[in-house]
Amino acid sequence: METQKGQLAAPCGMYCGVCAIYIAHRDDNLKFKERLTGFYSVAIDELHCKGRLSDDVFSYCRVCPIKACTAQKGIEGCHRCADFPCGHIETFPFPVGKKVMLRSVPARRELGTER
């Protein structure tokens, strides 16, 4: 299961390569998936993802308002948005994810996407 690095750099500034769902799916780790079903309140067959910009995306990321916002604005990600941080970031449902975004978006602005 090969994924291009570009598909793992999410518009919000998070990196899908460290996501538990992505890793469990990539490694086909059934035991890990079983543990994640309770955390995400989904069936085991819903735990699959090849990165936020791929065609095979986890259900939450499929309807992510941040991804939709950047697409609507025609920008690569939040690092290109003058409104960052916005309400989408402030109301993100996972505190750790919000913290990552608030740190990574300014760094992405400074260093660029590849770094």
Side-chain angles (χ1 to χ4, degrees):
M1 220 184 302
E2 196 170 311
T3 303
Q4 294 178 352
K5 285 184 180 182
Q7 293 178 329
L8 300 179
C12 63
M14 292 204 294
Y15 180 67
C16 301
V18 297
C19 173
I21 295 165
Y22 172 80
I23 293 168
H25 178 71
R26 178 196 67 198
D27 298 348
D28 197 24
N29 187 327
L30 186 59
K31 188 173 183 175
F32 193 18
K33 285 184 177 184
E34 287 171 350
R35 294 190 70 202
L36 292 172
T37 59
F39 184 77
Y40 288 100
S41 302
V42 297
I44 201 163
D45 62 336
E46 294 179 60
L47 290 168
H48 55 87
C49 190
K50 293 182 181 175
R52 198 170 278 198
L53 299 178
S54 73
D55 292 332
D56 184 6
V57 182
F58 180 56
S59 58
Y60 178 80
C61 298
R62 201 174 307 125
V63 297
C64 177
I66 298 169
K67 182 180 175 182
C69 179
T70 57
Q72 181 183 22
K73 290 181 177 183
I75 57 177
E76 180 186 11
C78 296
H79 66 290
R80 301 270 190 228
C81 186
D83 298 328
F84 177 84
C86 68
H88 295 305
I89 304 295
E90 296 301 328
T91 59
F92 194 74
F94 301 105
V96 171
K98 177 181 172 182
K99 184 177 180 178
V100 168
M101 289 177 217
L102 291 172
R103 293 176 73 195
S104 68
V105 169
R108 192 171 177 185
R109 280 182 174 161
E110 182 181 326
L111 302 172
T113 301
E114 287 302 314
R115 286 186 87 195

